[in-house]
Amino acid sequence: MEKNKSDSADLYQISLLIDQLRHDDPQIRANATKNIGSIAKALGPERTRSELIPFINESTDDDDDVLLAIAENIGDIQSHVGGAEFYYTLLEPIELLAIVEDGSVRDAAVKAVIPIVDGMPDDHLLTHFVPFVSKLALKDWFTSRISATALFHIAYSRLPSHVQKEFRALFSRLCADDTPMVRRMAAKHFGDLASRMSAPEIQDELLAPFKKLAVDEQDSVRIQSVGICIALAEALPAELRMSEVLPVVLSIASDRSWRVRWSLAVKIAELGNVMGQQVTNNSLCECYENLLRDQEAEVRSAAAGNISKMCSLVRKDITISRILPVVNHIITDSSDHTRASCALVINDLASLLGRDDTVENLLPMLLQLLRDDSSDVRLNIIANLDAINAVIGVELLSQSLLPAIVDLAEDSKWRVRFAIIEHIPRIANQLGCSFFNDKLNNLCMTWLGDDVYSIRRAAANNLCKLSAQFGEEWAKEQIIPRIERMHTHTNYLQRMTALYGIQVLATSLSQTTVEEVIVPLILHMASDAVPNVRLTVARTLNDIVSSKGEKFRSSFLTSCIQPALMTLLDDSDRDVRFYARQASDGVTAVVGGAQ
Amino acid sequence: MFSQLFGDPDDISNEANIFSALEFNGRGDLLASGDHGGSIVIHKKNDDIPQKASVRDVEGAENQWQVHCQFQSHEQEFDYLKSLEIEEKINHIQWGKPLGDSSFLYTTNDKTIKLWKVGRHMQRLPGAKYSSIRDGVLSLNRRQETSSAVSAMPKRSYCNAHAYHINSVSCNSDGESFLSADDLRINWWNSEINTSSFNIVDIKPSNMEELTEVITSAQFHPEHCNILMYSSSRGSIKLGDTRRSALCDVCAKVFEEPEDAASKSFFSEIVASISDASFAGDGRYIISRDYLTLKVWDTHMETKPVRVININDSLKSILCELYESDCIFDKFEIAVSPDGQKILTGSYGNQFSVWNKAGYAEHSIELQSSGGRSRTRDAAEADFDKKVLHCAWNPSSNTIALTAQAALYLYKV
């Protein structure tokens, strides 16, 4: 009886789900579709095949969200169709999804094909998968041809050679399709197919379409050629790389459209990697220099971002004699973005150049970038100081570093100040304690009094990290006295920041210090005139007790903290009383737990 | 020859019905019209109806075009930040690439562009049950017979990209991107992404006091994916090449006729403002219309137009009255025949004219609901409240469409 009841309850749930699949509201339909797997499970394999899949086939003229949900979840049905010999039944709904005009639905449908085909037995590949792909590739709807371009490579290696030849022919046809979007997607998936083919096959059949795509009149198609170059360079032997791929790369580098040149600038390091040392040192290097000097700032930025990667591929003497002079121009480039992307990676060159060459060639550039007008540039240099530190140490930079940091710390944009605060612990680590004490300590304190709340908070966290780095004694000596002074500041915001500062410090200090120094500071403020401060006192006490409670001596808790909380419980302000109640409960729990 | 009429030409009571945009689709079988009320009506050419041999027969005028679909595209909105109303008037319509039986169109009002899909969709039966449980066995009911009807589904909405009023939308030949132009900026969108777009032209001066010209229309080249054209209120047409640089402020070509100092007057600047410009045929020629003339430009020659056609010379003498009544700011559209040889444009008094690129007027006709021609009145004596602002030329047949206030006329040329 019970089993029947739970069964029928389940069935009822499933019935509800099915009705929701056809609900008027598309949101409800989309949500119900995500549970398609459980419906399939409840129906069982036969009925899933004979009823659920046709049901889904009928819903494919639906709202985009629903279609996307179907495409993303159709894989859930796969385990309920009755085994691998029935996987092919799922190809029908996927075919309907693959011709929809919305790109994300098509992508999801294509993705769903992969597990289905991987699990399919080989003979089914021939009887079901191959016709499926051919149909999509030859249909007159351009969207189906777009989806087809992504399908050729999926089971290619498992197919017999005459079918592989058919597929290659179909693919070449799509590469020359009338519709620009189809050619573009064929170019995008070219590499996937090429990587599964053997070199002679590529040479015979794919090189011609490749070259045509590389000179296509549509910019959007030519942009994809760099990806193809990389894939072909990996698949082809060295002589073919030189004779077939390299000329195309050189023509891309001098393309009329800046977007095509940009696509090369972005991937040039990857390309250099696969083309091999000799080609990179000779021809690609020259290409790269031209990209660094391109007339369009976007191209220069993309190229500049790859400086360190390219230099790691070429010989050191070439780096010094050819690339560094161009980099010298980039640091005075008119576009902020270019200089900023250069600053991000330039530090990495230090390890490639070695100590002496860094000092001679790289250091002047770094110093100039540290004095740049744009704050992004200066921030990017400082962000990556580790790389320099490892090679030459920061002392040589410290002269220029300090003014740069001070400038950034006082920048009018708060996000810039925020960013520099994030870097301070690392800089402090590299510069050492004494340097920090002299120069940067005051800065960190001023931040605690900044106008912007996020800065004050970040500054307090900063102090916490510093005290963890430099040790408790340092904290007691340098930081705590100053925080004490903040406690008596006239501005209540400062006093609250001081409280937050102590709270985070408490996490990195020893128990005795907390009891002797920190808690009294907090309690001192319990009688502040401003309720916000008193409220924060209660919250801080709560935080400290709950995080470190067990470590406190219970006598300490009862003698010091609880009386203070008692007074707060009688406070005139409602919020103060609330938080005091919370803190008090927390203390009681700890005391009780200890006992 | 008159062919069909939709709407009532004498009804000017309801401003919402006044047409504001008109466009044929690429295949020539659909005509979309937008009005001040934000609604779109799509007419479809019915090929089943046999063509009458003689079109002179007024009563037997063919009803080849029928209303296919109608929907509300934009609603009136309120911009809370600036305390301004955003009108729902449709400013421009562009057809996108069709897919199977469905067609796509972009419609825009002052601030938002929307992409619509027009096609047959299944109608749902409300409250139908699709599953039932009998004896502990779940069963799925197959879909009941449902009707399918032609409707428009909103696909995407591209908003918050323009601070000024959008005047044009144009699709790129790559099939997946389009541009939208407002008075000072042009943005380039990918159809799939409605959250961001690239700004490719920005003519806003850093000091708004120095503003001298605004963009009046923009269009992508019909074949080259990298060339765009925009016209300005100073009478110049600029061609931009998106390949050269990310921002096309510096133009590849500028087509501007130097001002004739002799005929300069108070109104010459206003009259020089280009109301519409379009690539002709395969894109070799550009046709532009300002208040008094049509200019044919060869893209290979920037110094002066190949031909200047004075279409409204008689209005020159009464520019003052036209300025008083604001009629001087009317924007007349042009339409070019598919072979690029003929130009169609409208005028006052419900008149329209078709010009040959060589400069000769082929037709000059007053719109009338009955067939037959009538003698055209001189433009200066025409009724200035009756203007044929919008027109379109079917790309696959010899039909033209024109609007006159709340009426839509179809003619055969």
Side-chain angles (χ1 to χ4, degrees):
Chain A
M1 265 316 280
E2 281 220 9
K3 189 164 179 291
N4 260 349
K5 264 208 201 140
S6 67
D7 271 351
S8 56
D10 284 334
L11 282 183
Y12 183 66
Q13 291 273 24
I14 303 285
S15 173
L16 263 183
L17 266 179
I18 295 179
D19 279 332
Q20 279 183 340
L21 281 177
R22 291 272 193 261
H23 199 276
D24 286 334
D25 182 0
Q27 242 347 79
I28 298 186
R29 288 204 298 276
N31 284 334
T33 315
K34 295 188 180 138
N35 294 317
I36 242 177
S38 41
I39 300 180
K41 192 167 162 195
L43 286 175
E46 273 178 45
R47 300 187 58 212
T48 300
R49 291 195 303 270
S50 58
E51 292 179 49
L52 182 58
I53 293 185
F55 194 76
I56 295 176
N57 287 345
E58 283 165 4
S59 29
T60 49
D61 73 331
D62 210 327
D63 184 77
D64 280 343
D65 289 332
V66 180
L67 289 177
L68 189 57
I70 298 179
E72 285 173 345
N73 294 295
I74 202 161
D76 293 343
I77 308 185
Q78 196 177 335
S79 36
H80 300 293
V81 285
E85 63 263 27
F86 291 111
Y87 281 177
Y88 69 89
T89 52
L90 289 172
L91 286 180
E92 199 185 325
I94 290 188
E95 187 184 323
L96 293 168
L97 289 170
I99 60 178
V100 156
E101 65 271 359
D102 189 66
S104 45
V105 176
R106 291 198 304 267
D107 288 341
V110 165
K111 249 176 86 171
V113 173
I114 300 179
I116 295 176
V117 170
D118 282 346
M120 232 187 233
D122 286 343
D123 50 328
H124 276 202
L125 280 183
L126 286 178
T127 46
H128 291 107
F129 178 63
V130 172
F132 164 74
V133 176
S134 313
K135 195 166 154 199
L136 283 176
L138 294 169
K139 203 170 154 93
D140 59 353
W141 284 37
F142 71 91
T143 45
S144 80
R145 298 200 299 276
I146 289 179
S147 299
T149 59
L151 293 172
F152 288 108
H153 67 91
I154 294 181
Y156 186 78
S157 39
R158 286 165 60 188
L159 297 169
S161 52
H162 68 276
V163 179
Q164 286 182 340
K165 202 167 154 79
E166 250 178 65
F167 266 18
R168 292 198 297 272
L170 275 177
F171 187 76
S172 306
R173 236 179 94 138
L174 290 180
C175 289
D177 195 278
D178 284 333
T179 312
M181 279 204 274
V182 179
R183 296 200 301 274
R184 175 165 95 82
M185 297 310 277
K188 196 162 159 199
H189 296 289
F190 201 102
D192 292 331
L193 184 59
S195 59
R196 284 169 175 70
M197 289 168 50
S198 68
E201 282 171 351
I202 299 179
Q203 195 178 354
D204 288 336
E205 296 179 45
L206 282 195
L207 281 183
F210 157 59
K211 287 189 194 149
K212 272 184 69 181
L213 286 173
V215 295
D216 195 285
E217 48 162 25
Q218 287 284 344
D219 290 356
S220 50
V221 178
R222 290 202 313 284
I223 289 181
Q224 307 291 336
S225 1
V226 179
I228 308 180
C229 288
I230 295 180
L232 284 181
E234 279 177 343
L236 292 174
E239 329 82 58
L240 284 177
R241 260 185 257 151
M242 285 289 288
S243 60
E244 306 290 338
V245 180
L246 187 59
V248 175
V249 172
L250 294 176
S251 74
I252 295 177
S254 50
D255 194 286
R256 295 177 321 259
S257 168
W258 70 267
R259 284 203 172 86
V260 179
R261 298 196 303 272
W262 176 89
S263 69
L264 177 63
V266 163
K267 294 201 180 154
I268 194 155
E270 218 182 306
L271 190 60
N273 221 354
V274 295
M275 290 292 272
Q277 280 278 339
Q278 195 198 12
V279 174
T280 311
N281 278 318
N282 297 335
S283 335
L284 267 188
C285 193
E286 196 178 322
C287 257
Y288 182 62
E289 285 170 55
N290 288 333
L291 288 172
L292 282 172
R293 278 192 277 248
D294 196 279
Q295 60 171 16
E296 170 59 44
E298 299 267 352
V299 181
R300 294 197 302 273
S301 294
N306 272 324
I307 292 177
S308 55
K309 286 193 207 146
M310 273 309 277
C311 289
S312 65
L313 290 174
V314 300
R315 291 197 314 264
K316 187 168 153 191
D317 56 302
I318 295 186
T319 306
I320 297 184
S321 60
R322 282 163 61 177
I323 299 192
L324 281 186
V326 188
V327 177
N328 224 340
H329 280 293
I330 295 234
I331 53 182
T332 49
D333 194 281
S334 50
S335 155
D336 287 350
H337 284 296
T338 315
R339 297 197 309 277
S341 53
C342 172
L344 202 51
V345 291
I346 198 170
N347 286 325
D348 296 329
L349 289 178
S351 53
L352 294 168
L353 293 174
R355 190 186 164 84
D356 297 324
D357 284 315
T358 304
V359 174
E360 189 184 324
N361 296 310
L362 197 56
L363 196 58
M365 290 194 237
L366 291 178
L367 292 174
Q368 186 160 356
L369 285 170
L370 273 175
R371 292 192 298 265
D372 196 282
D373 287 330
S374 157
S375 43
D376 278 331
V377 178
R378 286 176 271 143
L379 271 176
N380 282 346
I381 290 278
I382 293 180
N384 215 0
L385 278 181
D386 293 342
I388 286 286
N389 194 26
V391 179
I392 63 170
V394 280
E395 309 84 42
L396 288 166
L397 281 175
S398 57
Q399 282 276 13
S400 300
L401 202 54
L402 207 42
I405 297 179
V406 170
D407 251 342
L408 287 168
E410 295 167 358
D411 196 290
S412 53
K413 294 205 235 10
W414 74 268
R415 286 182 210 270
V416 178
R417 301 201 295 275
F418 191 77
I420 193 71
I421 295 180
E422 301 285 300
H423 295 310
I424 288 288
R426 252 185 310 130
I427 299 175
N429 202 7
Q430 286 161 10
L431 292 175
C433 192
S434 51
F435 184 88
F436 180 85
N437 282 341
D438 290 336
K439 321 275 185 180
L440 292 176
N441 212 352
N442 282 328
L443 212 53
C444 293
M445 287 301 152
T446 9
W447 278 324
L448 280 174
D450 195 285
D451 287 335
V452 177
Y453 167 75
S454 302
I455 301 284
R456 293 198 297 273
R457 214 167 166 86
N461 286 327
N462 178 35
L463 289 178
C464 172
K465 287 190 210 145
L466 287 171
S467 75
Q469 233 176 282
F470 288 146
E472 190 170 319
E473 284 310 312
W474 177 86
K476 271 163 86 167
E477 191 189 318
Q478 296 280 341
I479 302 197
I480 297 198
R482 297 184 190 221
I483 292 203
E484 275 178 20
R485 260 176 273 148
M486 277 177 76
H487 275 237
T488 46
H489 202 280
T490 40
N491 187 342
Y492 84 96
L493 285 171
Q494 298 273 20
R495 300 201 292 275
M496 278 175 62
T497 311
L499 271 174
Y500 179 69
I502 313 176
Q503 182 191 326
V504 294
L505 269 179
T507 51
S508 60
L509 295 175
S510 70
Q511 194 61 22
T512 29
T513 322
V514 173
E515 283 187 17
E516 286 168 16
V517 181
I518 302 285
V519 176
L521 275 179
I522 301 178
L523 295 177
H524 182 67
M525 308 255 268
S527 48
D528 195 285
V530 178
N532 300 54
V533 183
R534 298 199 297 274
L535 187 162
T536 318
V537 166
R539 278 218 325 235
T540 315
L541 282 174
N542 193 12
D543 280 333
I544 290 189
V545 166
S546 53
S547 61
K548 290 192 121 167
E550 312 76 46
K551 302 199 192 136
F552 282 112
R553 296 167 289 148
S554 42
S555 57
F556 179 78
L557 285 172
T558 40
S559 60
C560 288
I561 298 190
Q562 258 180 344
L565 287 174
M566 288 298 144
T567 9
L568 286 177
L569 278 170
D570 287 327
D571 197 280
S572 53
D573 187 281
R574 213 174 67 175
D575 291 319
V576 179
R577 289 201 298 275
F578 173 77
Y579 284 110
R581 162 68 38 205
Q582 274 199 334
S584 177
D585 289 343
V587 171
T588 326
V590 172
V591 170
Q595 285 163 354
Chain B
M1 270 109 265
F2 169 77
S3 174
Q4 266 180 280
L5 164 65
F6 294 94
D8 186 355
D10 298 317
D11 171 27
I12 43 171
S13 55
N14 189 356
E15 205 204 302
N17 288 336
I18 298 182
F19 287 103
S20 55
L22 199 60
E23 196 80 21
F24 276 105
N25 73 339
R27 289 193 289 223
D29 61 344
L30 292 172
L31 169 65
S33 64
D35 60 25
H36 278 237
S39 76
I40 306 277
V41 179
I42 300 185
H43 305 264
K44 189 176 160 97
K45 187 167 170 187
N46 196 334
D47 291 320
D48 295 337
I49 297 185
Q51 298 231 14
K52 289 264 166 38
S54 147
V55 193
R56 254 175 255 283
D57 184 3
V58 169
E59 286 94 32
E62 330 161 2
N63 285 337
Q64 243 200 334
W65 290 81
Q66 289 166 338
V67 175
H68 182 62
C69 175
Q70 190 170 354
F71 59 96
Q72 184 71 19
S73 166
H74 286 78
E75 301 280 350
Q76 191 179 61
E77 285 167 352
F78 194 75
D79 182 343
Y80 300 101
L81 276 180
K82 297 182 192 156
S83 290
L84 288 174
E85 270 181 3
I86 302 177
E87 281 181 11
E88 68 274 30
K89 165 168 92 91
I90 306 290
N91 287 335
H92 207 209
I93 301 175
Q94 269 279 286
W95 287 93
K97 238 171 124 62
L99 185 65
D101 290 332
S102 307
S103 304
F104 296 88
L105 68 147
Y106 296 91
T107 62
T108 178
N109 68 348
D110 285 339
K111 292 286 182 188
T112 308
I113 306 142
K114 291 191 185 176
L115 173 61
W116 295 85
K117 174 180 169 185
V118 177
R120 294 208 158 262
H121 299 117
M122 295 288 212
Q123 307 293 73
R124 279 166 207 295
L125 287 181
K129 277 201 75 69
Y130 293 95
S131 69
S132 48
I133 305 177
R134 261 184 304 257
D135 301 328
V137 175
L138 185 60
S139 69
L140 278 168
N141 306 342
R142 294 298 288 273
R143 164 173 281 190
Q144 280 90 336
E145 278 304 311
T146 51
S147 59
S148 76
V150 177
S151 63
M153 269 173 59
K155 280 274 151 180
R156 278 203 181 83
S157 190
Y158 308 89
C159 12
N160 292 333
H162 287 277
Y164 304 97
H165 291 191
I166 301 177
N167 53 51
S168 356
V169 171
S170 170
C171 294
N172 193 321
S173 57
D174 69 0
E176 49 182 340
S177 63
F178 66 96
L179 66 74
S180 59
D182 68 18
D183 290 337
L184 293 175
R185 297 192 179 102
I186 301 183
N187 291 339
W188 193 2
W189 302 80
N190 181 309
S191 316
E192 299 267 321
I193 303 171
N194 61 346
T195 47
S196 60
S197 66
F198 290 109
N199 174 257
I200 45 177
V201 173
D202 186 345
I203 60 170
K204 183 174 173 192
S206 46
N207 184 359
M208 280 297 272
E209 312 267 319
E210 296 164 21
L211 182 67
T212 49
E213 64 178 325
V214 293
I215 298 174
T216 51
S217 78
Q219 194 181 12
F220 267 125
H221 193 282
E223 280 167 27
H224 298 301
C225 61
N226 58 317
I227 297 183
L228 73 123
M229 176 252 303
Y230 60 97
S231 60
S232 81
S233 58
R234 298 234 350 229
S236 65
I237 300 175
K238 298 195 171 106
L239 276 190
D241 185 347
T242 58
R243 282 187 184 147
R244 231 168 74 171
S245 61
L247 273 185
C248 298
D249 291 354
V250 174
C251 285
K253 287 195 179 195
V254 180
F255 301 92
E256 195 164 2
E257 196 177 14
E259 230 177 293
D260 187 2
S263 63
K264 208 171 152 83
S265 75
F266 174 70
F267 304 108
S268 54
E269 249 192 59
I270 305 174
V271 159
S273 167
I274 296 182
S275 54
D276 194 18
S278 173
F279 281 106
D282 59 357
R284 167 79 191 257
Y285 291 93
I286 300 176
I287 321 267
S288 75
R289 192 211 200 287
D290 51 52
Y291 196 65
L292 297 174
T293 65
L294 277 175
K295 294 198 174 101
V296 181
W297 298 85
D298 184 333
T299 51
H300 292 218
M301 184 164 82
E302 302 168 55
T303 45
K304 63 185 179 79
V306 167
R307 183 143 336 264
V308 177
I309 307 172
N310 294 313
I311 43 180
N312 278 334
D313 259 349
S314 50
L315 292 180
K316 272 191 195 160
S317 45
I318 48 166
L319 281 180
C320 223
E321 291 93 68
L322 293 170
Y323 182 75
E324 300 287 314
S325 60
D326 275 348
C327 285
I328 202 172
F329 299 107
D330 284 334
K331 289 188 158 212
F332 290 93
E333 274 183 22
I334 57 169
V336 187
S337 64
D339 59 5
Q341 298 302 317
K342 301 202 193 114
I343 309 159
L344 159 71
T345 190
S347 182
Y348 293 110
N350 277 0
Q351 291 181 48
F352 72 91
S353 44
V354 179
W355 299 81
N356 187 292
K357 223 165 76 185
Y360 303 113
E362 294 206 357
H363 306 280
S364 196
I365 300 175
E366 180 176 337
L367 290 172
Q368 279 192 336
S369 53
S370 52
R373 292 191 199 195
S374 73
R375 242 163 34 96
T376 55
R377 270 180 247 122
D378 197 19
E381 296 157 32
D383 184 352
F384 295 114
D385 285 328
K386 304 203 173 169
K387 357 186 179 201
V388 180
L389 290 174
H390 306 281
C391 51
W393 202 309
N394 191 318
S396 64
S397 77
N398 54 355
T399 313
I400 55 175
L402 305 128
T403 66
Q405 291 73 249
L408 171 64
Y409 290 84
L410 289 165
Y411 270 70
K412 282 212 184 309
V413 274

